[in-house]
Amino acid sequence: MAILLLSVLVVSNLLAVTAQERFPQTPLVLKRFSYPTGLPYQADSENLLRGTQFGYNRCNSSTEIQESLCQTSFLNYLDDFCLWAPPKPDSLIADTEGEEVAWCSQPGRGTRRIPPDALKGVQFMRTPDYVQVVGFIDQTAINIAAGDSGGELDPHGADLRGNPLGGLMYSNAWSKSADTYEQVIEWHNFMGGNAFCLKVCDPSRPNAASYCQHRYDRIGCAYNAPNNAKEGVFESCEGENQDFPGVYTQDGRVLTYTQPPEALGPITSVPYQPRVPASSNCKQFSSSALYTNTPGRITPVSLAATSVASTASPASTSKSGGSQSQIDGESNDATYVVSSAITSVFGVLFSALFLA
Ligand SMILES: *[C@@H]1O[C@H](CO)[C@@H](O)[C@H](O)[C@H]1NC(C)=O
């Protein structure tokens, strides 16, 4: 009995030590930091199995250089978002997921800048539960090796420290004023295949963790962020919610897909086609109008008002001139086109690359 007890003690001690070395005291998704005053130097200050946080979260004008290691990211609007990408050229996402840094579409964030001409088409989508950007990019311009089919960044990871470790996300998409940023708890960002999708889920909504699911890391944007983004098009739309990633309806039954473990080899087929939700009220812009101005000129406040006012009915899209005026007034060379929306064309697929 004593021996048994002793061995139980030894085993549980061993487990405790292992757990300590791998897992942080507090998982990243449980940490809260107000922006900007509450930002720590590093959200993950521990030295555990995966080492220490590669960069820092307190970013300022002196960290706003192309060697920046800023790991505080944003998704505000079509013209104003950041993507996670490697700190050193010619890297694979899979090799660097723990250390990606923020590359932003605009100056003023204390981060690296996405070269404006690297963006080849971006769709911003606002839905009841999240906002998302999906697009096409010359990924070599943000240090991702040519041909890398990439992978998923999210605030979880097997050790709950996030990928990148300590990476933080903020948004003004649900704020009353454009310069108030709220910490986004659940988000996912797929990078690779010269494409990207970044979804940030409204922290006040009950299904944030489901819409921003992090388990389907091998099946890309088509399954995690079904969209109709088009190469060469820069647009802002309103849309209905996607299904939760991995959840689909077949013959009237709601089913959940289980992604097979990597040990079983490449994923060669997935038993469903994800549903691309209806979208409406798309406004198109020229890329130069979006990425060479300073952020905030297209104010998210007026957009928030617009999106609430015109919930996808054809009547409201056809007489939307009034609600657009603030946007058009702010960005002089923006053109906008109201598209008739409902479409099932796939945009950024990029799961094909995962499946290949
Ligand atoms: C800017 O941020 C960096 C990284 O957090 C920090 O080391 C540096 O002291 C800051 N500089 C200023 C002027 O606040």
Side-chain angles (χ1 to χ4, degrees):
M1 187 62 179
I3 288 170
L4 183 64
L5 262 181
L6 191 65
S7 53
V8 165
L9 274 177
V10 167
V11 167
S12 59
N13 257 336
L14 276 174
L15 284 175
V17 167
T18 315
Q20 244 169 22
E21 285 175 349
R22 185 162 195 212
F23 294 98
Q25 296 260 313
T26 309
L28 182 60
V29 286
L30 296 181
K31 297 181 180 176
R32 299 290 181 272
F33 307 105
S34 60
Y35 183 90
T37 50
L39 282 177
Y41 176 66
Q42 291 181 317
D44 184 325
S45 55
E46 295 169 79
N47 186 3
L48 307 172
L49 199 59
R50 281 208 289 165
T52 55
Q53 181 174 346
F54 188 78
Y56 40 78
N57 300 102
R58 219 180 278 153
C59 311
N60 52 45
S61 54
S62 46
T63 68
E64 194 165 311
I65 48 174
Q66 289 308 82
E67 297 74 40
S68 183
L69 302 183
C70 179
Q71 293 178 310
T72 298
S73 181
F74 297 84
L75 169 44
N76 297 318
Y77 183 56
L78 175 62
D79 67 334
D80 188 8
F81 61 88
C82 314
L83 301 172
W84 296 113
K88 297 183 195 88
D90 211 19
S91 302
L92 299 175
I93 294 291
D95 293 345
T96 55
E97 60 177 11
E99 58 196 48
E100 312 305 13
V101 297
W103 294 71
C104 299
S105 65
Q106 294 283 357
R109 307 283 176 213
T111 66
R112 299 184 191 211
R113 182 96 185 265
I114 302 169
D117 59 4
L119 292 166
K120 309 292 188 194
V122 181
Q123 182 188 63
F124 173 84
M125 183 69 67
R126 185 182 186 96
T127 82
D129 283 73
Y130 57 84
V131 295
Q132 154 184 298
V133 281
V134 177
F136 302 83
I137 190 168
D138 170 7
Q139 66 185 24
T140 62
I142 54 169
N143 288 351
I144 304 176
D148 182 19
S149 61
E152 182 183 353
L153 294 314
D154 64 64
H156 299 268
D159 59 6
L160 310 182
R161 301 176 73 190
N163 283 309
L165 305 184
L168 297 179
M169 185 69 68
Y170 290 85
S171 180
N172 64 12
W174 307 286
S175 303
K176 289 206 167 60
S177 98
D179 54 10
T180 304
Y181 300 92
E182 190 178 359
Q183 186 181 355
V184 175
I185 309 308
E186 297 289 354
W187 52 268
H188 61 213
N189 179 200
F190 288 79
M191 297 298 302
N194 277 331
F196 62 86
C197 50
L198 168 63
K199 187 192 299 164
V200 302
C201 285
D202 182 343
S204 72
R205 302 281 291 176
N207 293 316
S210 298
Y211 285 113
C212 284
Q213 184 54 259
H214 57 92
R215 280 187 306 212
Y216 299 96
D217 60 342
R218 300 174 64 203
I219 54 176
C221 291
Y223 286 87
N224 286 282
N227 66 87
N228 55 22
K230 294 172 255 341
E231 197 152 8
V233 175
F234 295 83
E235 63 182 0
S236 164
C237 304
E238 292 152 26
E240 294 172 6
N241 285 329
Q242 294 155 359
D243 296 322
F244 299 154
V247 176
Y248 61 104
T249 304
Q250 206 163 62
D251 303 326
R253 288 196 306 149
V254 177
L255 303 171
T256 302
Y257 172 63
T258 304
Q259 179 184 272
E262 266 180 76
L264 297 184
I267 296 172
T268 52
S269 75
V270 179
Y272 69 102
Q273 284 291 324
R275 181 184 67 88
V276 178
S279 55
S280 65
N281 204 15
C282 294
K283 300 161 216 90
Q284 297 187 352
F285 299 84
S286 70
S287 119
S288 62
L290 294 169
Y291 305 113
T292 54
N293 289 336
T294 46
R297 291 194 58 187
I298 303 175
T299 75
V301 178
S302 62
L303 278 161
T306 304
S307 69
V308 172
S310 57
T311 321
S313 84
S316 67
T317 53
S318 63
K319 58 175 167 65
S320 55
S323 55
Q324 301 318 311
S325 59
Q326 283 158 298
I327 299 162
D328 289 350
E330 294 281 357
S331 53
N332 26 26
D333 52 348
T335 55
Y336 87 85
V337 176
V338 175
S339 95
S340 64
I342 305 175
T343 162
S344 58
V345 180
F346 273 146
V348 171
L349 276 169
F350 140 66
S351 63
L353 294 152
F354 283 77
L355 304 177

